Amino acid sequence: MAFEVVMPRLGWSMKVGSLVEWYKKDGEFVQEGEILFTAEGEKAIQEVEALESGILRIPPDSPQPGKEISVGTVLAYLVQPDEPAPFETAAPPPPATSVEQPAIVVPPSSTSGSPSRGARRERPASKPAVSPRARRLAAELGIDWTALQGSGRTGRIVERDVRQAAQEGEKEKEAKVKVSPVARRMAEAAGIDLAELAAQKAGEKIKREDVEAVIAAREAAAAPPPPTPPVGQAVPVTHIRRLIAQRMVESAHTTAPLTLTTEADATELVALRERLKATLGPRGKVVPTYNDLIVKLTGLALQEHPLLNASWKDGEIVILADINIGTAVDTAAGLLVPVIRDVPAKSIQQIAEEARALAEKARARQLAPDDMQGGTFTITNLGTYNVDAFTPIINLPECAILGVGRIVSRPAVWNDEVVPRKMVALSLTFDHRVVDGGPAARFLNTVREYVEQPYLWLVA
Amino acid sequence: MRELTFVEAAREGLAEEMEKDPTIFVVGEGVGARGGNFNTTTGLYALYGPERLRDTPISERGFTTLCTGAAMAGARPVVDWMFLDFGVDAMGDLIHQTAMIQWMSGGRLKMPVLLRGCIGALGSAAAHHSGNYYPLFMHIPGFRVVVPTTPYDAKGLIKTAIRSDDPVLFLEHRGVLTNKGPVPEEEYLIPFGEAAIVHEGNDVTIVAIAYMVNHALKVSEQLADEGVSAEVIDPRTLVPLDIDTILESVHKTGRLLIVDEDFAPCGAGAEITAQVVDRAFDDLDAPIRRLNGASTPSPYSLPLEAAVLPNPATIAQAVRDLLME
């Protein structure tokens, strides 16, 4: 792409200025940062640097030094070697004959093709042409057509090119991946891309151990904190980071957040999980995490308190029909919130399986936008970091977010005796625009009850 | 099944309708004892006499407009122009009266007139006897435009045309008059607006109009030997146009060639192209191509006449070019 060199604005109020002198000649290679020319504004003459490297191309009609020109006027271009400057590639004037000639169709000859073609507009060479059909097919098959070589007469990418690319892609994948049935099943369950794994083990068959190693590596990679950025240096802001920042600020600025905390006796919840572990583990089933259990019980509590499953939209409160609960997942890239849909309708086992798959996808950065949309409530769990109560930020446009602290043995009064009990702190931040403290507290209390007496879920 | 020529089949359809409905009569030059220049009425004079097979002087505007009046009065006239070129003489009344009277009368009057004539360049007929002109009528609201190619279609469509309460252009390309084909003995009608897929294929769609269907069929067989599978569609009626059949075919093939002997500008092919681009843009794998007769009065010289018309060789080449796109 040719980079435009323009008349710069040298002061805030400057509207016009003039070119004083070129420091480089037409056709000369210029490094980024080298002085290109001097320009005169209202107050001073200033040197202007090249903002890109490239070959300086000054069009013949570029403003002459000394002439007053407006800010932003294109003075020249910086182009890459072999790249023509824009003024060289500009369309030639249309041939004069095209206007005078009426649309007489020439008699068809046997070799010149369709007579109605006439003079066809040629496309700029830099953009590959693609037929509408090929483009649609490429989208359907997930093929990047911009990388294809078109076989059409004018180099246009047509359907056959896309089909061929798809076929080759399939063949490549098949040729590459040799995998044992067990390994394939495990990889599929864990959402591991076999083609990627095969690339690392060129030619060798992928076995169960290989997949297990990847899963272990993933878990290990997920555990350590992200590397600390060097002190004093600007950390490049990733797209995810920017998005998180934007959403958090928006939430902080537009909601009326209030956080309620309570402590629940999780002894029964812990017992339940231990039993599930003992029963499901040996059967090879996914054992629900505390988080999965809390997702389930929160879903049930939301059913009873629909005001908390609502959103503030265009000045109105909308109570949502579906209960879709997002769970915050800490990844190296940043916070992601995959969503489990229709929680009350799902068994704990289903939720556990789904949550596990989503968390894997989140860590592997393979979450689809759909996986993260449509949430109506969010749960964030900092228990693994030994946090108790905290003040989570509402995930807009939802109305509330539940923070779950660590489960820890504490002295508690149980049947009038001080005994060690498993305690957990619950922090509910809600948007006071949507719901008042009373209903929110009642909801939190239901959550607490469900934590303390899991058998209630059976009758919820 | 018995085989008839196109002319015989169309005549049989006309005779069957005349037998049923005494308000049907034919008007034209030489349609009486002579049986019509192209045998369109041969034998009918003996059956129905001079009252219903009415010879006229050379006065197209007069007898065409007369029939428009007769249709307003409740008859079902058949105007036999011999050549569509001659019917153009009546264009003023055709547009203003024949096509519009149903609207102008608020629907109280019907216009059941059949306007028939030969079209197309063939055998040195020159500029005044080779016109196709169907786009003129496609353009005007009110006309139905029928361009049959097979004996079977000729009979089924002329019967529908005679029974239509709208003015119908029944246009017979001279190249198809001698086409032979099976025609059942029992009565049948073919509704307007149903295209025929006359050759099935997967690689390219050829919409051919009138005599061009003959060529396109030949080409599709020839191309099959080259491994090209061409689908040939005969629209049969241009108004109403069965665009859905064309769209389905284009959905399958992604490539469309329209072969039309008539001039290209503002022609039937332009209309089909516009509709396909509008409704099936994403099905297209290549630009739509039109192969038309040259935009010039038809030459008298046989070699020149051949040079301005699409023929199997140019159609085959156009298909090959289109597949290269």
Side-chain angles (χ1 to χ4, degrees):
Chain A
M1 270 297 287
F3 183 81
E4 288 181 348
V5 176
V6 299
M7 183 68 193
R9 191 187 296 278
L10 302 173
W12 277 115
S13 58
M14 174 174 163
K15 291 208 172 77
V16 292
S18 60
L19 172 72
V20 176
E21 188 188 355
W22 282 107
Y23 275 35
K24 300 282 177 182
K25 286 201 256 334
D26 182 31
E28 201 175 341
F29 186 80
V30 182
Q31 280 290 344
E32 185 185 337
E34 283 190 85
I35 305 301
L36 259 185
F37 60 95
T38 46
E40 187 170 13
E42 292 158 323
K43 293 175 188 148
I45 292 177
Q46 201 167 318
E47 291 177 330
V48 181
E49 295 176 0
L51 299 174
E52 284 272 15
S53 302
I55 297 162
L56 180 68
R57 297 306 317 276
I58 305 172
D61 58 350
S62 175
Q64 290 302 305
K67 195 176 163 239
E68 202 163 74
I69 47 175
S70 32
V71 167
T73 305
V74 175
L75 302 172
Y77 299 90
L78 291 167
V79 299
Q80 296 313 304
D82 300 325
E83 187 193 2
F87 56 88
E88 289 172 312
T89 54
T97 51
S98 70
V99 182
E100 289 153 18
Q101 271 183 359
I104 286 179
V105 178
V106 283
S109 73
S110 56
T111 51
S112 69
S114 172
S116 60
R117 187 182 301 150
R120 279 159 47 78
R121 246 174 60 99
E122 294 301 326
R123 293 173 57 90
S126 57
K127 282 185 192 166
V130 59
S131 86
R133 189 183 184 91
R135 197 182 46 202
R136 182 182 62 187
L137 184 68
E140 281 167 10
L141 299 176
I143 285 171
D144 175 16
W145 59 262
T146 57
L148 299 182
Q149 195 72 38
S151 71
R153 191 182 55 80
T154 55
R156 184 190 292 114
I157 298 156
V158 292
E159 183 184 8
R160 57 180 171 253
D161 304 321
V162 177
R163 292 217 181 271
Q164 196 185 341
Q167 234 172 26
E168 277 165 11
E170 281 303 309
K171 266 189 214 153
E172 253 171 53
K173 259 192 197 165
E174 277 169 26
K176 262 189 206 158
V177 181
K178 280 185 242 159
V179 59
S180 79
V182 180
R184 185 182 292 278
R185 217 170 32 243
M186 287 177 70
E188 272 167 16
I192 292 169
D193 185 358
L194 280 171
E196 217 167 85
L197 193 53
Q200 295 162 10
K201 296 198 40 144
E204 281 176 65
K205 188 169 185 177
I206 299 166
K207 298 196 193 105
R208 180 198 184 127
E209 299 85 76
D210 303 319
V211 180
E212 279 173 345
V214 174
I215 295 173
R218 265 194 197 174
E219 277 164 7
T228 318
V231 176
Q233 279 182 27
V235 180
V237 174
T238 61
H239 178 65
I240 293 183
R241 190 75 248 150
R242 198 182 301 278
L243 215 64
I244 295 170
Q246 201 182 325
R247 292 180 58 103
M248 290 301 154
V249 168
E250 193 191 348
S251 177
H253 286 174
T254 62
T255 63
L258 184 67
T259 304
L260 306 177
T261 63
T262 185
E263 206 175 30
D265 184 334
T267 312
E268 288 298 317
L269 190 72
V270 172
L272 171 68
R273 176 151 194 278
E274 289 309 316
R275 278 178 217 130
L276 288 175
K277 207 153 123 188
T279 335
L280 297 177
R283 293 189 197 171
K285 289 197 172 169
V286 177
V287 179
T289 61
Y290 284 112
N291 219 43
D292 300 334
L293 297 173
I294 289 165
V295 165
K296 178 67 187 176
L297 72 88
T298 305
L300 297 174
L302 282 171
Q303 264 186 320
E304 290 172 44
H305 302 270
L307 266 180
L308 275 291
N309 193 60
S311 74
W312 180 268
K313 203 177 169 195
D314 304 328
E316 283 184 339
I317 294 167
V318 182
I319 295 183
L320 303 159
D322 295 332
I323 296 178
N324 305 331
I325 298 182
T327 43
V329 177
D330 180 35
T331 74
L335 172 71
L336 294 174
V337 187
V339 173
I340 295 173
R341 272 158 228 288
D342 207 3
V343 168
K346 283 183 178 148
S347 72
I348 294 168
Q349 187 73 40
Q350 277 173 309
I351 291 169
E353 283 165 12
E354 220 174 284
R356 184 156 150 174
L358 285 171
E360 284 295 336
K361 273 164 97 179
R363 296 208 171 93
R365 304 194 59 177
Q366 287 167 344
L367 278 181
D370 243 18
D371 292 333
M372 292 182 280
Q373 279 165 7
T376 64
F377 189 91
T378 298
I379 292 174
T380 170
N381 190 334
L382 291 181
T384 44
Y385 306 110
N386 292 330
V387 171
D388 291 321
F390 55 109
T391 57
I393 291 182
I394 294 163
N395 186 13
L396 282 179
E398 295 165 13
C399 156
I401 180 166
L402 180 68
V404 180
R406 66 175 155 171
I407 298 175
V408 64
S409 279
R410 283 189 206 283
V413 179
W414 181 251
N415 291 341
D416 284 341
E417 276 183 47
V418 176
V419 290
R421 299 290 292 179
K422 305 283 188 190
M423 302 303 284
V424 62
L426 301 171
S427 313
L428 177 75
T429 300
F430 63 95
D431 187 347
H432 214 316
R433 292 179 306 171
V434 181
V435 66
D436 290 335
R442 286 196 283 277
F443 165 74
L444 186 59
N445 195 44
T446 304
V447 172
R448 189 190 55 76
E449 277 175 8
Y450 281 157
V451 169
E452 295 187 344
Q453 303 161 65
Y455 61 85
L456 286 176
W457 310 354
L458 291 173
V459 291
Chain B
M1 200 184 289
R2 65 171 176 157
E3 295 224 328
L4 297 180
T5 64
F6 182 100
V7 170
E8 287 164 350
R11 189 170 63 224
E12 190 172 276
L14 172 63
E16 281 178 17
E17 293 303 301
M18 287 185 80
E19 181 60 36
K20 280 197 194 100
D21 184 346
T23 68
I24 299 170
F25 64 93
V26 185
V27 169
E29 293 148 22
V31 297
R34 185 168 172 241
N37 195 51
F38 295 107
N39 290 315
T40 48
T41 54
T42 303
L44 300 185
Y45 186 79
L47 292 172
Y48 305 115
E51 189 80 0
R52 296 181 66 192
L53 288 133
R54 180 69 73 161
D55 273 325
T56 66
I58 301 174
S59 57
E60 274 76 14
R61 183 163 190 188
F63 68 74
T64 302
T65 309
L66 180 146
C67 287
T68 297
M72 286 163 68
R76 305 191 88 86
V78 175
V79 181
D80 193 331
W81 282 323
M82 211 179 325
F83 290 91
L84 174 60
D85 306 72
F86 303 163
V88 172
D89 263 16
M91 210 56 176
D93 285 340
L94 280 171
I95 293 175
H96 287 136
Q97 312 306 341
T98 316
M100 293 182 182
I101 201 71
Q102 295 186 79
W103 280 271
M104 298 305 288
S105 68
R108 284 184 299 130
L109 296 174
K110 302 288 176 213
M111 187 44 61
V113 61
L114 175 68
L115 307 154
R116 72 187 296 190
C118 282
I119 55 171
L122 197 78
S124 212
H128 293 141
H129 300 76
S130 302
N132 283 291
Y133 303 138
Y134 31 80
L136 303 182
F137 298 93
M138 292 172 71
H139 185 67
I140 305 296
F143 290 119
R144 313 271 160 186
V145 181
V146 184
V147 281
T149 59
T150 68
Y152 178 86
D153 291 349
K155 184 176 176 186
L157 287 168
I158 203 171
K159 285 169 74 84
T160 304
I162 291 170
R163 293 185 194 185
S164 167
D165 281 339
D166 299 328
V168 180
L169 277 295
F170 188 84
L171 307 178
E172 302 144 283
H173 194 291
R174 279 183 297 125
V176 304
L177 296 182
T178 49
N179 277 358
K180 269 197 143 181
V183 178
E185 309 264 359
E186 58 272 21
E187 181 174 43
Y188 65 93
L189 280 88
I190 298 173
F192 290 171
E194 285 188 10
I197 298 170
V198 291
H199 189 274
E200 284 196 31
N202 297 311
D203 298 337
V204 60
T205 301
I206 305 173
V207 171
I209 296 169
Y211 185 39
M212 299 301 107
V213 176
N214 278 25
H215 290 341
L217 273 174
K218 255 182 227 153
V219 168
S220 66
E221 278 152 26
Q222 178 193 335
L223 287 172
D225 298 338
E226 297 175 22
V228 173
S229 161
E231 180 143 299
V232 181
I233 294 177
D234 176 358
R236 301 201 289 190
T237 62
L238 293 172
V239 180
L241 178 68
D242 180 5
I243 193 70
D244 288 342
T245 295
I246 296 170
L247 291 174
E248 265 168 45
S249 181
V250 171
H251 180 70
K252 180 168 63 171
T253 65
R255 284 158 200 261
L256 174 60
L257 172 71
I258 301 158
V259 187
D260 178 7
E261 184 188 298
D262 190 30
F263 316 129
C266 301
E271 176 58 28
I272 293 170
T273 300
Q275 292 197 32
V276 170
V277 169
D278 185 24
R279 290 181 51 191
F281 180 72
D282 287 324
D283 281 333
L284 291 170
D285 205 21
I288 296 175
R289 282 286 146 75
R290 288 178 290 161
L291 186 60
N292 287 85
S295 206
T296 175
S298 192
Y300 175 70
S301 146
L302 270 177
L304 285 180
E305 184 189 74
V308 301
L309 298 175
N311 61 49
T314 56
I315 297 170
Q317 192 55 42
V319 171
R320 291 187 201 105
D321 288 347
L322 181 53
L323 289 170
M324 292 286 290
E325 278 293 338

